[in-house]
Amino acid sequence: MKKICILFIMLLLTISTAFALSKPRWDVRPVKVYIPPNHYYTHLMKNAFLQWQDKTKSAVWFVFVNENKQKDAHITVHFVEKNVNCEKENAIGCTHIQTNDEDFYVHNDIYIASKTTRNKIGKNGKPEKIEVPISSEQVYRVMLHEIGHAIGIHGHSLNPNSIMYAYSNNNDNNPQTITEEDIQFMHNVYR
Ligand SMILES: [Zn+2]
């Protein structure tokens, strides 16, 4: 019985260590960010990074690099018409993450689309996909969400009011925001 208890405790310790270590994060500061210039999303994206920086400045902060330093960027933003790079075909944004053995980020890519598709029943009664534009308010929230993934929040919040909730609530009257909980999570990641 004693042996089983010890084994059980050891197993618990192993599991909790695994969780504790599984916190992808940056070990460089500032994090260099490349945002394609002269796009109608450029300014919005920059603001989204600055909002995260403002809320978490003691944890992670950024510098924006221009085109000739693009290869030095730690996070590269891509503006695309439709997000063929994402797992879900109607996703507005997604983030591809590369980490090393120590769980530090190596390079992250954020993809932001200007159009998404929605399923609709067509005139012939068959389902069809229609392209729908995305409001700048909604795309800004997606930008904040994807940056959250690119700087240390691997999973999703269970709070529907959080910007890190798995789904966009698409409610401009009650928009999802970076919550105190999200900020605390970031500080824990970089503690
Ligand atoms: Zn997400």
Side-chain angles (χ1 to χ4, degrees):
M1 185 61 193
K2 214 175 185 181
K3 225 176 192 174
I4 294 172
C5 276
I6 291 168
L7 265 176
F8 183 66
I9 289 167
M10 276 177 67
L11 189 70
L12 259 182
L13 273 175
T14 322
I15 293 169
S16 60
T17 316
F19 275 120
L21 287 176
S22 181
K23 280 183 183 170
R25 61 210 183 278
W26 289 105
D27 66 341
V28 290
R29 303 290 189 289
V31 174
K32 293 179 185 171
V33 176
Y34 174 73
I35 302 173
N38 309 321
H39 190 279
Y40 50 89
Y41 280 167
T42 306
H43 193 64
L44 215 53
M45 192 80 208
K46 204 169 181 178
N47 280 351
F49 272 98
L50 292 175
Q51 194 181 341
W52 268 111
Q53 175 171 281
D54 193 44
K55 304 242 181 209
T56 60
K57 51 186 157 241
S58 56
V60 64
W61 58 96
F62 311 105
V63 68
F64 300 102
V65 297
N66 51 28
E67 244 164 343
N68 54 6
K69 291 274 170 68
Q70 193 184 341
K71 60 171 177 30
D72 300 337
H74 302 114
I75 299 176
T76 302
V77 175
H78 308 262
F79 296 135
V80 292
E81 195 174 333
K82 276 194 281 174
N83 244 332
V84 288
N85 300 291
C86 300
E87 258 171 61
K88 291 182 194 144
E89 64 170 332
N90 59 350
I92 299 170
C94 64
T95 302
H96 292 186
I97 279 161
Q98 295 170 49
T99 52
N100 63 18
D101 294 343
E102 293 162 277
D103 242 346
F104 288 121
Y105 293 126
V106 178
H107 187 264
N108 295 343
D109 289 283
I110 297 178
Y111 296 89
I112 303 288
S114 50
K115 283 181 192 155
T116 185
T117 53
R118 210 162 277 165
N119 293 324
K120 205 190 156 193
I121 302 297
K123 281 184 189 142
N124 55 6
K126 286 185 184 166
E128 60 179 43
K129 282 190 186 357
I130 51 158
E131 276 189 5
V132 283
I134 306 158
S135 75
S136 54
E137 287 80 8
Q138 193 182 2
V139 85
Y140 183 70
R141 292 197 287 273
V142 173
M143 287 169 175
L144 286 175
H145 181 98
E146 297 308 328
I147 296 168
H149 284 319
I151 61 176
I153 303 180
H154 200 51
H156 287 124
S157 169
L158 296 175
N159 176 0
N161 296 321
S162 162
I163 201 71
M164 295 315 295
Y165 190 61
Y167 305 98
S168 166
N169 72 7
N170 204 10
N171 179 354
D172 290 342
N173 297 322
N174 183 24
Q176 288 155 312
T177 55
I178 300 172
T179 62
E180 281 305 315
E181 223 173 36
D182 300 330
I183 298 165
Q184 196 49 50
F185 188 93
M186 279 290 292
H187 283 293
N188 289 342
V189 167
Y190 285 95
R191 197 165 46 188

